[in-house]
């Protein structure tokens, strides 16, 4: 696999982590484009990440949402 493609994936992960995201999964697919006539590879990168956001300080017991299970 081309090291340049892996470097791009690492850079995307680094950028997410700099913003406080916890990268939980990465998927990298490298393939030849069915729309191009040359053998230049293309890549798709799928990243899954999670991040907790602070609540607004409201007490959960004050939630009047009729759709929330208590």
């Amino acid at each position: 696999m081309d090291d340049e493609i892996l470097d791009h994936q690492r850079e995307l992960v680094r950028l997410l982590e700099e913003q406080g995201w916890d990268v939980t999964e990465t998927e990298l697919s490298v393939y030849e484009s069915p729309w191009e006539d040359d053998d230049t590879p293309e890549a798709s990168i799928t990243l899954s990440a999670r991040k907790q956001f602070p609540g607004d300080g409201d007490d959960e017991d004050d939630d009047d949402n009729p759709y929330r299970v208590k």
Side-chain angles (χ1 to χ4, degrees), residues 8-70:
H8 281 271
Q9 179 184 15
R10 288 184 196 105
E11 177 67 10
L12 289 170
V13 169
R14 185 188 66 76
L15 291 170
L16 279 172
E17 289 175 341
E18 279 183 2
Q19 296 299 313
W21 289 87
D22 180 25
V23 177
T24 58
E25 185 177 347
T26 64
E27 181 179 333
L28 175 64
S29 300
V30 180
Y31 49 90
E32 291 182 17
S33 173
W35 299 281
E36 299 294 329
D37 291 333
D38 59 6
D39 292 335
T40 305
E42 291 186 3
S44 294
I45 298 173
T46 303
L47 302 172
S48 297
R50 65 181 182 171
K51 181 177 181 179
Q52 290 186 349
F53 291 90
D56 57 8
D58 289 341
D59 189 0
E60 289 183 21
D61 293 336
D62 294 339
D63 187 2
D64 292 331
N65 186 341
Y67 301 104
R68 186 174 316 278
V69 177
K70 294 182 181 182

